[in-house]
PDB file of all heavy atoms in Angstrom:
ATOM      1  N   LEU A 101     -33.199  54.864 121.006  1.00  0.00           N
ATOM      2  CA  LEU A 101     -32.471  54.422 119.825  1.00  0.00           C
ATOM      3  C   LEU A 101     -33.477  53.992 118.751  1.00  0.00           C
ATOM      4  O   LEU A 101     -34.506  53.399 119.070  1.00  0.00           O
ATOM      5  CB  LEU A 101     -31.605  53.214 120.195  1.00  0.00           C
ATOM      6  CG  LEU A 101     -30.665  52.733 119.094  1.00  0.00           C
ATOM      7  CD1 LEU A 101     -29.302  53.397 119.254  1.00  0.00           C
ATOM      8  CD2 LEU A 101     -30.493  51.212 119.116  1.00  0.00           C
ATOM      9  N   ILE A 102     -33.167  54.272 117.503  1.00  0.00           N
ATOM     10  CA  ILE A 102     -33.994  53.748 116.411  1.00  0.00           C
ATOM     11  C   ILE A 102     -33.669  52.262 116.278  1.00  0.00           C
ATOM     12  O   ILE A 102     -32.499  51.896 116.118  1.00  0.00           O
ATOM     13  CB  ILE A 102     -33.684  54.490 115.093  1.00  0.00           C
ATOM     14  CG1 ILE A 102     -34.062  55.965 115.233  1.00  0.00           C
ATOM     15  CG2 ILE A 102     -34.424  53.848 113.924  1.00  0.00           C
ATOM     16  CD1 ILE A 102     -33.511  56.856 114.133  1.00  0.00           C
ATOM     17  N   PRO A 103     -34.673  51.386 116.392  1.00  0.00           N
ATOM     18  CA  PRO A 103     -34.392  49.944 116.300  1.00  0.00           C
ATOM     19  C   PRO A 103     -33.677  49.595 115.001  1.00  0.00           C
ATOM     20  O   PRO A 103     -33.969  50.157 113.945  1.00  0.00           O
ATOM     21  CB  PRO A 103     -35.790  49.316 116.344  1.00  0.00           C
ATOM     22  CG  PRO A 103     -36.622  50.313 117.068  1.00  0.00           C
ATOM     23  CD  PRO A 103     -36.088  51.661 116.658  1.00  0.00           C
ATOM     24  N   ARG A 104     -32.716  48.672 115.119  1.00  0.00           N
ATOM     25  CA  ARG A 104     -31.928  48.245 113.962  1.00  0.00           C
ATOM     26  C   ARG A 104     -32.294  46.819 113.588  1.00  0.00           C
ATOM     27  O   ARG A 104     -32.706  46.028 114.430  1.00  0.00           O
ATOM     28  CB  ARG A 104     -30.418  48.283 114.287  1.00  0.00           C
ATOM     29  CG  ARG A 104     -29.891  49.598 114.864  1.00  0.00           C
ATOM     30  CD  ARG A 104     -29.947  50.711 113.834  1.00  0.00           C
ATOM     31  NE  ARG A 104     -28.989  51.773 114.068  1.00  0.00           N
ATOM     32  CZ  ARG A 104     -29.185  52.884 114.777  1.00  0.00           C
ATOM     33  NH1 ARG A 104     -30.340  53.091 115.388  1.00  0.00           N
ATOM     34  NH2 ARG A 104     -28.235  53.804 114.876  1.00  0.00           N
ATOM     35  N   THR A 107     -31.090  43.635 115.485  1.00  0.00           N
ATOM     36  CA  THR A 107     -31.787  43.225 116.703  1.00  0.00           C
ATOM     37  C   THR A 107     -32.861  42.177 116.393  1.00  0.00           C
ATOM     38  O   THR A 107     -33.226  41.383 117.265  1.00  0.00           O
ATOM     39  CB  THR A 107     -32.341  44.483 117.412  1.00  0.00           C
ATOM     40  OG1 THR A 107     -31.254  45.404 117.547  1.00  0.00           O
ATOM     41  CG2 THR A 107     -32.889  44.168 118.792  1.00  0.00           C
ATOM     42  N   ASP A 130     -35.453  42.308 129.950  1.00  0.00           N
ATOM     43  CA  ASP A 130     -34.883  43.045 128.811  1.00  0.00           C
ATOM     44  C   ASP A 130     -34.116  44.242 129.380  1.00  0.00           C
ATOM     45  O   ASP A 130     -34.727  45.216 129.838  1.00  0.00           O
ATOM     46  CB  ASP A 130     -36.027  43.494 127.885  1.00  0.00           C
ATOM     47  CG  ASP A 130     -35.559  44.450 126.797  1.00  0.00           C
ATOM     48  OD1 ASP A 130     -34.354  44.486 126.490  1.00  0.00           O
ATOM     49  OD2 ASP A 130     -36.430  45.166 126.238  1.00  0.00           O
ATOM     50  N   MET A 131     -32.789  44.132 129.388  1.00  0.00           N
ATOM     51  CA  MET A 131     -31.966  45.197 129.979  1.00  0.00           C
ATOM     52  C   MET A 131     -31.642  46.265 128.924  1.00  0.00           C
ATOM     53  O   MET A 131     -31.031  45.972 127.905  1.00  0.00           O
ATOM     54  CB  MET A 131     -30.666  44.594 130.532  1.00  0.00           C
ATOM     55  CG  MET A 131     -29.741  45.604 131.184  1.00  0.00           C
ATOM     56  SD  MET A 131     -30.520  46.514 132.548  1.00  0.00           S
ATOM     57  CE  MET A 131     -30.515  45.284 133.846  1.00  0.00           C
ATOM     58  N   GLY A 132     -32.065  47.514 129.188  1.00  0.00           N
ATOM     59  CA  GLY A 132     -31.866  48.609 128.226  1.00  0.00           C
ATOM     60  C   GLY A 132     -32.945  48.537 127.162  1.00  0.00           C
ATOM     61  O   GLY A 132     -32.679  48.461 125.969  1.00  0.00           O
ATOM     62  N   THR A 133     -34.183  48.605 127.621  1.00  0.00           N
ATOM     63  CA  THR A 133     -35.319  48.321 126.727  1.00  0.00           C
ATOM     64  C   THR A 133     -35.535  49.391 125.660  1.00  0.00           C
ATOM     65  O   THR A 133     -36.092  49.108 124.599  1.00  0.00           O
ATOM     66  CB  THR A 133     -36.608  48.090 127.565  1.00  0.00           C
ATOM     67  OG1 THR A 133     -37.586  47.465 126.748  1.00  0.00           O
ATOM     68  CG2 THR A 133     -37.169  49.392 128.126  1.00  0.00           C
ATOM     69  N   GLY A 134     -35.128  50.634 125.917  1.00  0.00           N
ATOM     70  CA  GLY A 134     -35.294  51.699 124.913  1.00  0.00           C
ATOM     71  C   GLY A 134     -36.758  51.834 124.510  1.00  0.00           C
ATOM     72  O   GLY A 134     -37.627  52.054 125.354  1.00  0.00           O
ATOM     73  N   SER A 135     -37.050  51.657 123.222  1.00  0.00           N
ATOM     74  CA  SER A 135     -38.434  51.782 122.733  1.00  0.00           C
ATOM     75  C   SER A 135     -39.307  50.591 123.138  1.00  0.00           C
ATOM     76  O   SER A 135     -40.508  50.599 122.865  1.00  0.00           O
ATOM     77  CB  SER A 135     -38.428  51.905 121.213  1.00  0.00           C
ATOM     78  OG  SER A 135     -37.784  50.774 120.649  1.00  0.00           O
ATOM     79  N   GLY A 136     -38.698  49.567 123.731  1.00  0.00           N
ATOM     80  CA  GLY A 136     -39.488  48.424 124.201  1.00  0.00           C
ATOM     81  C   GLY A 136     -39.705  47.350 123.148  1.00  0.00           C
ATOM     82  O   GLY A 136     -40.482  46.400 123.358  1.00  0.00           O
ATOM     83  N   ILE A 137     -38.975  47.423 122.041  1.00  0.00           N
ATOM     84  CA  ILE A 137     -39.222  46.459 120.951  1.00  0.00           C
ATOM     85  C   ILE A 137     -38.944  45.023 121.384  1.00  0.00           C
ATOM     86  O   ILE A 137     -39.716  44.120 121.063  1.00  0.00           O
ATOM     87  CB  ILE A 137     -38.382  46.791 119.691  1.00  0.00           C
ATOM     88  CG1 ILE A 137     -36.913  47.071 120.072  1.00  0.00           C
ATOM     89  CG2 ILE A 137     -38.997  47.938 118.919  1.00  0.00           C
ATOM     90  CD1 ILE A 137     -35.958  46.915 118.943  1.00  0.00           C
ATOM     91  N   ILE A 138     -37.834  44.805 122.114  1.00  0.00           N
ATOM     92  CA  ILE A 138     -37.474  43.435 122.513  1.00  0.00           C
ATOM     93  C   ILE A 138     -38.522  42.911 123.497  1.00  0.00           C
ATOM     94  O   ILE A 138     -39.025  41.787 123.357  1.00  0.00           O
ATOM     95  CB  ILE A 138     -36.055  43.400 123.127  1.00  0.00           C
ATOM     96  CG1 ILE A 138     -35.015  43.727 122.042  1.00  0.00           C
ATOM     97  CG2 ILE A 138     -35.766  42.062 123.785  1.00  0.00           C
ATOM     98  CD1 ILE A 138     -33.572  43.795 122.540  1.00  0.00           C
ATOM     99  N   VAL A 153     -36.172  47.008 131.609  1.00  0.00           N
ATOM    100  CA  VAL A 153     -35.367  47.906 132.453  1.00  0.00           C
ATOM    101  C   VAL A 153     -34.677  48.953 131.580  1.00  0.00           C
ATOM    102  O   VAL A 153     -34.161  48.627 130.502  1.00  0.00           O
ATOM    103  CB  VAL A 153     -34.279  47.095 133.205  1.00  0.00           C
ATOM    104  CG1 VAL A 153     -33.419  48.013 134.073  1.00  0.00           C
ATOM    105  CG2 VAL A 153     -34.899  45.994 134.043  1.00  0.00           C
ATOM    106  N   ASP A 154     -34.664  50.185 132.045  1.00  0.00           N
ATOM    107  CA  ASP A 154     -33.837  51.202 131.385  1.00  0.00           C
ATOM    108  C   ASP A 154     -33.476  52.262 132.414  1.00  0.00           C
ATOM    109  O   ASP A 154     -34.236  52.517 133.351  1.00  0.00           O
ATOM    110  CB  ASP A 154     -34.580  51.857 130.203  1.00  0.00           C
ATOM    111  CG  ASP A 154     -33.615  52.351 129.141  1.00  0.00           C
ATOM    112  OD1 ASP A 154     -32.913  53.370 129.400  1.00  0.00           O
ATOM    113  OD2 ASP A 154     -33.528  51.732 128.062  1.00  0.00           O
ATOM    114  N   SER A 155     -32.311  52.872 132.223  1.00  0.00           N
ATOM    115  CA  SER A 155     -31.907  53.937 133.151  1.00  0.00           C
ATOM    116  C   SER A 155     -32.513  55.274 132.740  1.00  0.00           C
ATOM    117  O   SER A 155     -32.403  56.249 133.474  1.00  0.00           O
ATOM    118  CB  SER A 155     -30.374  54.039 133.183  1.00  0.00           C
ATOM    119  OG  SER A 155     -29.881  54.169 131.869  1.00  0.00           O
ATOM    120  N   SER A 156     -33.132  55.333 131.570  1.00  0.00           N
ATOM    121  CA  SER A 156     -33.687  56.598 131.089  1.00  0.00           C
ATOM    122  C   SER A 156     -35.202  56.633 131.298  1.00  0.00           C
ATOM    123  O   SER A 156     -35.937  55.868 130.654  1.00  0.00           O
ATOM    124  CB  SER A 156     -33.368  56.756 129.589  1.00  0.00           C
ATOM    125  OG  SER A 156     -34.294  57.620 128.972  1.00  0.00           O
ATOM    126  N   ALA A 159     -37.041  57.194 128.030  1.00  0.00           N
ATOM    127  CA  ALA A 159     -37.133  56.008 127.164  1.00  0.00           C
ATOM    128  C   ALA A 159     -38.243  55.088 127.676  1.00  0.00           C
ATOM    129  O   ALA A 159     -39.016  54.538 126.882  1.00  0.00           O
ATOM    130  CB  ALA A 159     -35.796  55.265 127.146  1.00  0.00           C
ATOM    131  N   SER A 181     -33.827  51.774 136.198  1.00  0.00           N
ATOM    132  CA  SER A 181     -32.694  51.302 136.990  1.00  0.00           C
ATOM    133  C   SER A 181     -31.395  51.421 136.206  1.00  0.00           C
ATOM    134  O   SER A 181     -31.370  51.192 134.997  1.00  0.00           O
ATOM    135  CB  SER A 181     -32.945  49.821 137.348  1.00  0.00           C
ATOM    136  OG  SER A 181     -31.846  49.262 138.012  1.00  0.00           O
ATOM    137  N   ASP A 182     -30.324  51.735 136.925  1.00  0.00           N
ATOM    138  CA  ASP A 182     -28.982  51.651 136.350  1.00  0.00           C
ATOM    139  C   ASP A 182     -28.583  50.172 136.432  1.00  0.00           C
ATOM    140  O   ASP A 182     -28.333  49.666 137.528  1.00  0.00           O
ATOM    141  CB  ASP A 182     -28.040  52.541 137.164  1.00  0.00           C
ATOM    142  CG  ASP A 182     -26.602  52.434 136.680  1.00  0.00           C
ATOM    143  OD1 ASP A 182     -26.355  51.773 135.643  1.00  0.00           O
ATOM    144  OD2 ASP A 182     -25.720  53.007 137.343  1.00  0.00           O
ATOM    145  N   LEU A 183     -28.624  49.489 135.310  1.00  0.00           N
ATOM    146  CA  LEU A 183     -28.464  48.024 135.263  1.00  0.00           C
ATOM    147  C   LEU A 183     -29.349  47.378 136.340  1.00  0.00           C
ATOM    148  O   LEU A 183     -30.543  47.649 136.369  1.00  0.00           O
ATOM    149  CB  LEU A 183     -26.985  47.635 135.352  1.00  0.00           C
ATOM    150  CG  LEU A 183     -26.158  48.108 134.129  1.00  0.00           C
ATOM    151  CD1 LEU A 183     -24.681  47.787 134.300  1.00  0.00           C
ATOM    152  CD2 LEU A 183     -26.671  47.519 132.821  1.00  0.00           C
ATOM    153  N   ASN A 199     -29.629  44.517 124.393  1.00  0.00           N
ATOM    154  CA  ASN A 199     -28.899  45.218 123.338  1.00  0.00           C
ATOM    155  C   ASN A 199     -28.400  46.500 124.003  1.00  0.00           C
ATOM    156  O   ASN A 199     -29.040  47.531 123.942  1.00  0.00           O
ATOM    157  CB  ASN A 199     -29.841  45.537 122.168  1.00  0.00           C
ATOM    158  CG  ASN A 199     -29.180  46.432 121.138  1.00  0.00           C
ATOM    159  OD1 ASN A 199     -27.951  46.546 121.110  1.00  0.00           O
ATOM    160  ND2 ASN A 199     -29.979  47.080 120.303  1.00  0.00           N
ATOM    161  N   PRO A 200     -27.271  46.408 124.714  1.00  0.00           N
ATOM    162  CA  PRO A 200     -26.817  47.551 125.508  1.00  0.00           C
ATOM    163  C   PRO A 200     -26.052  48.546 124.623  1.00  0.00           C
ATOM    164  O   PRO A 200     -25.764  48.232 123.461  1.00  0.00           O
ATOM    165  CB  PRO A 200     -25.858  46.892 126.504  1.00  0.00           C
ATOM    166  CG  PRO A 200     -25.253  45.775 125.727  1.00  0.00           C
ATOM    167  CD  PRO A 200     -26.316  45.285 124.774  1.00  0.00           C
ATOM    168  N   PRO A 201     -25.718  49.708 125.149  1.00  0.00           N
ATOM    169  CA  PRO A 201     -24.817  50.569 124.383  1.00  0.00           C
ATOM    170  C   PRO A 201     -23.471  49.862 124.227  1.00  0.00           C
ATOM    171  O   PRO A 201     -22.976  49.289 125.207  1.00  0.00           O
ATOM    172  CB  PRO A 201     -24.684  51.829 125.259  1.00  0.00           C
ATOM    173  CG  PRO A 201     -25.195  51.456 126.604  1.00  0.00           C
ATOM    174  CD  PRO A 201     -26.090  50.279 126.444  1.00  0.00           C
ATOM    175  N   SER A 222     -26.446  58.007 125.544  1.00  0.00           N
ATOM    176  CA  SER A 222     -26.421  56.904 126.515  1.00  0.00           C
ATOM    177  C   SER A 222     -26.930  55.587 125.922  1.00  0.00           C
ATOM    178  O   SER A 222     -26.749  54.529 126.515  1.00  0.00           O
ATOM    179  CB  SER A 222     -27.256  57.261 127.743  1.00  0.00           C
ATOM    180  OG  SER A 222     -28.581  57.504 127.318  1.00  0.00           O
ATOM    181  N   ALA A 223     -27.569  55.652 124.756  1.00  0.00           N
ATOM    182  CA  ALA A 223     -28.026  54.417 124.104  1.00  0.00           C
ATOM    183  C   ALA A 223     -26.937  53.846 123.206  1.00  0.00           C
ATOM    184  O   ALA A 223     -27.018  52.696 122.787  1.00  0.00           O
ATOM    185  CB  ALA A 223     -29.280  54.695 123.275  1.00  0.00           C
ATOM    186  N   LEU A 224     -25.923  54.675 122.903  1.00  0.00           N
ATOM    187  CA  LEU A 224     -24.918  54.268 121.916  1.00  0.00           C
ATOM    188  C   LEU A 224     -23.572  53.924 122.536  1.00  0.00           C
ATOM    189  O   LEU A 224     -22.988  52.885 122.241  1.00  0.00           O
ATOM    190  CB  LEU A 224     -24.684  55.415 120.922  1.00  0.00           C
ATOM    191  CG  LEU A 224     -25.847  55.773 119.989  1.00  0.00           C
ATOM    192  CD1 LEU A 224     -25.589  57.115 119.341  1.00  0.00           C
ATOM    193  CD2 LEU A 224     -26.022  54.687 118.939  1.00  0.00           C
ATOM    194  N   CYS A 233     -20.485  48.586 129.457  1.00  0.00           N
ATOM    195  CA  CYS A 233     -21.766  48.060 129.920  1.00  0.00           C
ATOM    196  C   CYS A 233     -21.682  46.548 130.128  1.00  0.00           C
ATOM    197  O   CYS A 233     -22.168  46.020 131.141  1.00  0.00           O
ATOM    198  CB  CYS A 233     -22.845  48.417 128.904  1.00  0.00           C
ATOM    199  SG  CYS A 233     -24.453  48.527 129.642  1.00  0.00           S
ATOM    200  N   GLU A 254     -26.768  41.360 122.199  1.00  0.00           N
ATOM    201  CA  GLU A 254     -26.317  41.901 120.919  1.00  0.00           C
ATOM    202  C   GLU A 254     -24.939  42.501 121.178  1.00  0.00           C
ATOM    203  O   GLU A 254     -24.709  43.119 122.224  1.00  0.00           O
ATOM    204  CB  GLU A 254     -27.276  42.988 120.413  1.00  0.00           C
ATOM    205  CG  GLU A 254     -26.831  43.548 119.072  1.00  0.00           C
ATOM    206  CD  GLU A 254     -27.879  44.413 118.392  1.00  0.00           C
ATOM    207  OE1 GLU A 254     -29.086  44.086 118.454  1.00  0.00           O
ATOM    208  OE2 GLU A 254     -27.466  45.434 117.793  1.00  0.00           O
TER     209      GLU A 254
HETATM  210  C1  SAM B   1     -28.664  50.309 122.257  1.00  0.00           C
HETATM  211  S1  SAM B   1     -30.069  50.917 123.136  1.00  0.00           S
HETATM  212  C2  SAM B   1     -31.180  49.544 122.889  1.00  0.00           C
HETATM  213  C3  SAM B   1     -32.632  49.922 122.881  1.00  0.00           C
HETATM  214  C4  SAM B   1     -33.560  48.776 122.467  1.00  0.00           C
HETATM  215  N1  SAM B   1     -33.446  47.655 123.390  1.00  0.00           N
HETATM  216  C5  SAM B   1     -33.262  48.317 121.054  1.00  0.00           C
HETATM  217  O1  SAM B   1     -32.744  47.199 120.898  1.00  0.00           O
HETATM  218  O2  SAM B   1     -33.535  49.067 120.111  1.00  0.00           O
HETATM  219  C6  SAM B   1     -29.510  50.746 124.792  1.00  0.00           C
HETATM  220  C7  SAM B   1     -30.498  51.154 125.871  1.00  0.00           C
HETATM  221  O3  SAM B   1     -29.857  50.904 127.130  1.00  0.00           O
HETATM  222  C8  SAM B   1     -30.152  51.960 128.018  1.00  0.00           C
HETATM  223  N2  SAM B   1     -29.069  52.020 128.997  1.00  0.00           N
HETATM  224  C9  SAM B   1     -27.827  52.536 128.837  1.00  0.00           C
HETATM  225  N3  SAM B   1     -27.110  52.398 129.969  1.00  0.00           N
HETATM  226  C10 SAM B   1     -27.925  51.756 130.857  1.00  0.00           C
HETATM  227  C11 SAM B   1     -27.780  51.335 132.205  1.00  0.00           C
HETATM  228  N4  SAM B   1     -26.635  51.531 132.873  1.00  0.00           N
HETATM  229  N5  SAM B   1     -28.823  50.736 132.814  1.00  0.00           N
HETATM  230  C12 SAM B   1     -29.990  50.540 132.156  1.00  0.00           C
HETATM  231  N6  SAM B   1     -30.195  50.927 130.871  1.00  0.00           N
HETATM  232  C13 SAM B   1     -29.180  51.516 130.229  1.00  0.00           C
HETATM  233  C14 SAM B   1     -30.255  53.200 127.137  1.00  0.00           C
HETATM  234  O4  SAM B   1     -31.027  54.208 127.760  1.00  0.00           O
HETATM  235  C15 SAM B   1     -30.899  52.608 125.872  1.00  0.00           C
HETATM  236  O5  SAM B   1     -32.298  52.729 125.923  1.00  0.00           O
END
Side-chain angles (χ1 to χ4, degrees):
L101 186 93
I102 296 166
R104 308 292 205 269
T107 308
D130 171 20
M131 181 57 76
T133 196
S135 58
I137 47 159
I138 293 177
V153 179
D154 208 288
S155 53
S156 156
S181 175
D182 176 7
L183 295 176
N199 172 18
S222 60
L224 293 166
C233 207
E254 181 168 321

